[in-house]
Amino acid sequence: MNLAEHVTLGEIGALGDMAHAQTDRAMQARFAIAFLFGTVWTLFSIWLSQPWLRDLGALTHPLLALFALTFIAYVPGFMNAFLLASLLIEPRPARRLRAVYPGVTVLIAAYDEEAAIAATLESARSVAYPGPVEVIVIDDGSRDATAAIVEACASLSSGIDAAVTTRLLRFEQNRGKAHVLNSGLAEARNDLIVTIDADTRLGVGSLTAIVERMLGDPARPVTVAGSVLVGNPHESLIAGAQQWDYFHGIAAVKRMQSMYGGTLVAQGAFSIYRRDALIEAGGWPDTVGEDIVLTWALLKRGYRVGYAEDAIAWTQVPTDVATLARQRKRWARGMIEALEHHRSMLIQPRLTTMFIWWNLLFISLDLAFTLIFLPGLVLALLGVFWLAGPVTLLVLPLAALWNVVIYRIQSRVLKRLDMNMERNWLGFVAYAVLYPLLMQPISVWGYAAEMTGRSKEWGTT
């Protein structure tokens, strides 16, 4: 019996159908509580905003006024309330130690990564996983010394630790990230597949944590996203702001979505997959956001996707606005691609369908923020509160509360793992004040690029 069969039959048999049903009921109960809290908060906001809605409708048009308030006050308020409630009521199941740890294949797609690949491979050698680890670096036609560095590291690793093997799969011509990952999958010897980016360092114990989460979670996920944190927060103010985006915003959303078995993005930077599920979904699609589209393909098939908050990897983030803009534009395009490929998920009868609509609403939220709220903020500074009024302030305490909650959760995780994160506090100020003013317009740019059929490419961002 191979590992895929062992996981499918052995693990499910151990958990039992009754335990699985109890997990489903617990998910539904938590969802109902969070949804009720978000709904009550939204209704309160609507009641309070009636004078503002009437005045703005008289100045402009009633439909424009309704659109503006919906997407700069009501919808963000519901999202913040639902997120806060979910974080507060979440009972996180403990990871379970295993008698035997299955082999893991780590796929690393690389393109011109000579500056980072050695550190990435060193982290894989030092990850201290209690089972065999196979690392496959797929060089996608790099023009620098990436391949030579990988070969040197592979030779070194074979003499240090036979439990971690490294090999190079090289292509002379650039084929695209999805193609090379699928080629690596075909070469993999194990039934648990991990992907990491070429500039991402695995934390000690991270593979153990993500495997234990996948195989022991009562929700039975076929994919689990790891926790990706910023490894270069002091290189620039932009990098410092992203530290808090990863530590707060991205972590909070993934944690919340995983409570309902529906983490929407198992990011390529660090995630684990069951090989049989990958093959069933057709592998990585040839898209800009291949990790997003693949995750949605798995969800569409009824599988669950989890999140391991204590499986930590450290990534190198963009240090300037132009590079960050290109990265986030690609992320925004990936979300549009996922919607294009998997429209049927919008009507699936499951809890996570709300998160699909949630993502869809981000298009309108980003448009409203960019075209209405930002001009309204300028007017508000001049004492004119037509577009940014008092009700928008209702979003602030909820946002502050869930940020406090996720900060405490994340800090406890790092303390338990005896890890230290050097916090860039000036970056936090930039994250809280300036970051949204930059990110929403960039997302709109990404949506427009995908909808107008701009060319697609992958690189280091």
Side-chain angles (χ1 to χ4, degrees):
M1 180 179 289
N2 64 26
L3 175 64
E5 293 169 336
H6 173 72
V7 172
T8 302
L9 300 178
E11 290 292 324
I12 291 177
L15 289 169
D17 290 338
M18 185 176 295
H20 188 60
Q22 290 173 345
T23 301
D24 285 350
R25 288 194 292 270
M27 284 184 180
Q28 292 164 5
R30 290 195 298 269
F31 187 92
I33 292 170
F35 189 87
L36 178 62
F37 180 67
T39 301
V40 170
W41 185 270
T42 304
L43 291 174
F44 170 69
S45 300
I46 292 172
W47 171 77
L48 194 65
S49 67
Q50 288 307 297
W52 181 23
L53 183 63
R54 286 193 299 269
D55 291 345
L56 182 58
L59 284 166
T60 57
H61 188 279
L63 290 179
L64 176 60
L66 182 61
F67 177 85
L69 268 66
T70 296
F71 291 107
I72 67 176
Y74 304 153
V75 172
F78 174 85
M79 290 177 169
N80 284 330
F82 186 94
L83 177 57
L84 175 62
S86 295
L87 294 175
L88 288 174
I89 64 178
E90 177 193 23
R92 199 68 172 164
R95 289 192 282 110
R96 297 189 301 159
L97 296 175
R98 305 185 62 80
V100 178
Y101 285 78
V104 173
T105 294
V106 180
L107 300 182
I108 306 173
Y111 176 69
D112 288 351
E113 293 286 357
E114 64 179 5
I117 193 65
T120 298
L121 293 176
E122 171 61 27
S123 75
R125 282 200 304 270
S126 307
V127 77
Y129 178 68
V133 178
E134 173 193 41
V135 179
I136 303 177
V137 180
I138 313 104
D139 185 350
D140 191 18
S142 294
R143 299 159 297 180
D144 60 7
T146 297
I149 293 171
V150 173
E151 289 175 336
C153 290
S155 176
L156 179 63
S157 68
S158 64
I160 294 177
D161 187 356
V164 180
T165 62
T166 304
R167 57 192 176 111
L168 174 67
L169 182 62
R170 188 177 187 188
F171 296 98
E172 294 297 332
Q173 299 296 323
N174 186 275
R175 304 170 67 215
K177 191 171 186 179
H179 287 290
V180 297
L181 284 172
N182 288 323
S183 297
L185 177 63
E187 294 285 328
R189 298 172 182 149
N190 299 303
D191 288 325
L192 290 183
I193 308 296
V194 169
T195 62
I196 63 173
D197 282 347
D199 60 355
T200 298
R201 293 176 289 110
L202 292 172
V204 175
S206 58
L207 281 187
T208 304
I210 204 168
V211 168
E212 289 177 353
R213 175 61 62 191
M214 167 177 271
L215 300 186
D217 195 316
R220 306 173 189 167
V222 300
T223 303
V224 174
S227 175
V228 179
L229 300 179
V230 173
N232 58 328
H234 295 289
E235 289 191 10
S236 70
L237 186 62
I238 288 294
Q242 289 170 85
Q243 178 186 51
W244 297 97
D245 188 16
Y246 281 70
F247 191 66
H248 276 198
I250 294 174
V253 171
K254 287 186 181 296
R255 192 178 182 96
M256 177 268 291
Q257 292 174 347
S258 72
M259 289 178 59
Y260 311 107
T263 306
L264 288 187
V265 184
Q267 71 284 335
F270 181 33
S271 292
I272 188 169
Y273 306 83
R274 269 180 35 185
R275 181 190 183 114
D276 56 344
L278 275 175
I279 293 173
E280 181 186 339
W284 285 272
D286 186 16
T287 57
V288 170
E290 75 289 330
D291 48 2
I292 304 175
V293 180
L294 171 61
T295 306
W296 286 33
L298 293 168
L299 288 169
K300 187 166 71 172
R301 284 166 171 77
Y303 291 125
R304 287 176 174 166
V305 179
Y307 171 64
E309 73 283 349
D310 52 357
I312 293 177
W314 306 90
T315 192
Q316 301 295 299
V317 297
T319 57
D320 60 85
V321 174
T323 307
L324 175 62
R326 288 195 298 272
Q327 181 198 61
R328 296 309 171 94
K329 183 186 75 168
R330 180 169 60 83
W331 290 9
R333 294 185 69 177
M335 190 185 76
I336 297 295
E337 287 175 326
L339 288 165
E340 291 172 344
H341 282 76
H342 305 298
R343 291 189 185 93
S344 63
M345 290 183 65
L346 292 168
I347 56 173
Q348 280 190 338
R350 56 187 296 179
L351 298 181
T352 52
T353 296
M354 188 188 80
F355 302 136
I356 303 296
W357 282 98
W358 190 309
N359 265 26
L360 185 61
L361 286 172
F362 268 112
I363 300 173
S364 296
L365 286 169
D366 291 335
L367 282 170
F369 188 93
T370 303
L371 303 178
I372 297 176
F373 181 74
L374 288 182
L377 191 61
V378 174
L379 288 175
L381 293 174
L382 299 174
V384 180
F385 301 102
W386 292 343
L387 299 174
V391 177
T392 55
L393 299 178
L394 287 174
V395 177
L396 299 181
L398 287 176
L401 279 173
W402 73 252
N403 271 281
V404 169
V405 170
I406 195 64
Y407 178 84
R408 294 187 62 185
I409 290 172
Q410 292 283 83
S411 296
R412 285 198 298 266
V413 169
L414 291 178
K415 184 177 181 181
R416 188 170 70 247
L417 297 174
D418 197 26
M419 286 186 176
N420 179 47
M421 186 181 83
E422 296 183 7
R423 293 162 173 80
N424 185 331
W425 293 107
L426 185 59
F428 176 77
V429 175
Y431 165 72
V433 178
L434 301 176
Y435 200 67
L437 305 181
L438 181 66
M439 288 298 99
Q440 268 75 14
I442 288 173
S443 294
V444 171
W445 177 26
Y447 304 143
E450 178 60 26
M451 291 175 177
T452 55
R454 293 279 299 278
S455 61
K456 304 175 182 183
E457 60 184 15
W458 83 283
T460 58
T461 57

